[in-house]
Amino acid sequence: MKAPAFDQIVDAIGEKRYKHILRVTETAEKLAKIHGVDVEKARTAALFHDICKYKDNARLWKEAERLNVKDLDSFKAFPQVLHAYVAAEAARVDYGIEDEEILRAIRYHTTGTENMSPVEEVVFLADYLEPMRNFDGVDELRKKAEADLKEAMAASLQGNLLFLIKQGTAVHLDTVRCYNDYMEK
Ligand SMILES: [Fe+2]
Ligand SMILES: [Fe+2]
């Protein structure tokens, strides 16, 4: 399994973020095992998912340019989403990860998207529900995630969308597509 060079990354993302990554990886492994999902893929995507969540925002944009992230301008309205797209490109270009499912799990861990695979669902849910997450209903969602990935995705997307709308935040189209996809299922 490929792993990020955390010795070179931890300073840039911060110790707290690094620990979050490790918790997400553990949670992803646990969920993958419960649901018979490819554990190595889930673990790899989880390890990489936040490697570009730099403390310094300028560094993120520089990396996005270096890695030729498409439609970079579109992320100006969604700065919280960009790190996921950059991390997927970093995993591909800098670490030679070619597995499209792993790359998608990294790229869509914040927004979700259409037609998510179980590996992608596991990583999305692990990020949303890792043990230090603390919001109303989180324990119920954790139980749901252990029982049924699709139901947990639907409930998480619904909560996420409501939260963004209450905050008056713009909603990335991938999140809307993801929400619609699960509401239809
Ligand atoms: Fe993230
Ligand atoms: Fe994360």
Side-chain angles (χ1 to χ4, degrees):
M1 182 184 67
K2 287 227 167 68
F6 281 119
D7 54 333
Q8 294 160 33
I9 297 166
V10 174
D11 278 353
I13 62 173
E15 193 70 29
K16 262 173 87 175
R17 179 64 46 186
Y18 174 56
K19 287 184 176 155
H20 159 75
I21 290 173
L22 298 182
R23 288 193 300 273
V24 172
T25 305
E26 271 177 39
T27 308
E29 179 170 356
K30 184 174 142 194
L31 285 175
K33 281 180 181 160
I34 291 172
H35 295 289
V37 171
D38 190 317
V39 174
E40 286 303 292
K41 282 195 191 192
R43 272 185 60 85
T44 303
L47 278 174
F48 279 91
H49 87 283
D50 271 348
I51 57 165
C52 294
K53 200 147 186 185
Y54 303 122
K55 292 183 283 182
D56 174 9
N57 213 32
R59 179 168 176 165
L60 174 63
W61 283 87
K62 246 194 204 162
E63 279 288 276
E65 276 170 19
R66 176 179 74 83
L67 294 161
N68 288 318
V69 172
K70 286 184 202 116
D71 293 328
L72 203 44
D73 274 349
S74 72
F75 290 97
K76 284 184 180 145
F78 306 98
Q80 75 283 9
V81 172
L82 180 59
H83 75 280
Y85 282 70
V86 179
E89 287 312 299
R92 195 171 61 80
V93 174
D94 298 339
Y95 294 90
I97 292 176
E98 287 171 358
D99 186 296
E100 205 40 56
E101 195 177 22
I102 295 175
L103 296 175
R104 275 175 54 98
I106 301 169
R107 187 181 304 120
Y108 299 117
H109 80 260
T110 305
T111 53
T113 187
E114 283 169 314
N115 300 318
M116 289 176 82
S117 75
V119 168
E120 294 163 34
E121 292 172 336
V122 159
V123 174
F124 182 95
L125 290 168
D127 186 38
Y128 199 55
L129 303 172
E130 58 99 331
M132 292 292 277
R133 296 287 193 206
N134 189 11
F135 54 85
D136 272 353
V138 69
D139 283 328
E140 215 175 294
L141 267 183
R142 286 187 181 117
K143 277 184 207 140
K144 230 173 220 169
E146 292 184 5
D148 188 320
L149 290 174
K150 304 241 174 284
E151 268 189 34
M153 284 299 296
S156 299
L157 261 301
Q158 195 176 8
N160 197 0
L161 206 58
L162 281 170
F163 174 77
L164 291 171
I165 289 166
K166 266 187 206 153
Q167 274 201 321
T169 310
V171 180
H172 195 283
L173 277 182
D174 282 333
T175 304
V176 177
R177 288 193 189 104
C178 186
Y179 172 79
N180 287 343
D181 202 25
Y182 283 101
M183 291 307 122
E184 285 163 11
K185 277 172 187 163

